[in-house]
Amino acid sequence: MSVWYSISRVFKPREETSENPKHQELKTRYYAASFTRVFRKAEKLQETSGKINKVIKADEERGELFVEATNGKDLFDVIMTIVQVGPNETAIDIVSSIRKKSGDWGKNFSIIVHILKELDQSFPNIKKN
């Protein structure tokens, strides 16, 4: 993440992954794993990740996890949406919002990248164009 990107985030309190992001680190991930395996791993991130505090709500039927994360003194609300897109193919998108009125200075970016790195270590990533 560049200094200019951090400065552009001064007044923006949220960040999210997408199919066509400005930064490749924020690209929607597709894993060669079942929905259940990816969902369970995302639920257990609080045990293995230093930034995820707790799971606030897990709705497996809808494929959504709502978690609380920290980065320094700042608190973040993170929503992970997990969708099975094939027999053994699962996609994940993440939205992170800082719990303060001013911008995040790129901290939401680091929360999302941290979560995606944890998941990338557990599942083979399927490259999508």
Side-chain angles (χ1 to χ4, degrees), residues 25-36:
E25 294 95 340
L26 296 176
K27 188 161 181 64
T28 299
R29 293 296 201 279
Y30 291 86
Y31 295 114
S34 69
F35 168 84
T36 305

Side-chain angles (χ1 to χ4, degrees), residues 37-55:
R37 287 183 58 215
V38 175
F39 194 86
R40 294 287 178 260
K41 174 65 180 176
E43 271 185 317
K44 294 186 188 303
L45 282 176
Q46 68 181 359
E47 298 168 8
T48 60
S49 169
K51 293 189 178 195
I52 305 297
N53 290 346
K54 63 181 174 181
V55 174

Side-chain angles (χ1 to χ4, degrees), residues 77-106:
D77 293 321
V78 180
I79 299 172
M80 292 180 254
T81 304
I82 303 164
V83 179
Q84 185 164 356
V85 292
N88 196 32
E89 187 176 335
T90 304
I92 184 166
D93 270 316
I94 302 172
V95 177
S96 178
S97 299
I98 194 166
R99 286 189 193 171
K100 64 180 183 178
K101 293 182 182 179
S102 63
D104 69 354
W105 290 90

Side-chain angles (χ1 to χ4, degrees), residues 66-80:
F66 180 36
V67 301
E68 177 185 86
T70 57
N71 188 354
K73 295 179 183 179
D74 296 317
L75 288 174
F76 299 84
D77 293 321
V78 180
I79 299 172
M80 292 180 254

Side-chain angles (χ1 to χ4, degrees), residues 2-44:
S2 71
V3 172
W4 296 115
Y5 181 75
S6 292
I7 292 171
S8 74
R9 302 296 307 164
V10 171
F11 298 110
K12 297 178 182 175
R14 71 186 275 267
E15 187 70 80
E16 63 186 282
T17 59
S18 68
E19 291 292 329
N20 298 308
K22 290 183 180 179
H23 293 278
Q24 286 303 322
E25 294 95 340
L26 296 176
K27 188 161 181 64
T28 299
R29 293 296 201 279
Y30 291 86
Y31 295 114
S34 69
F35 168 84
T36 305
R37 287 183 58 215
V38 175
F39 194 86
R40 294 287 178 260
K41 174 65 180 176
E43 271 185 317
K44 294 186 188 303

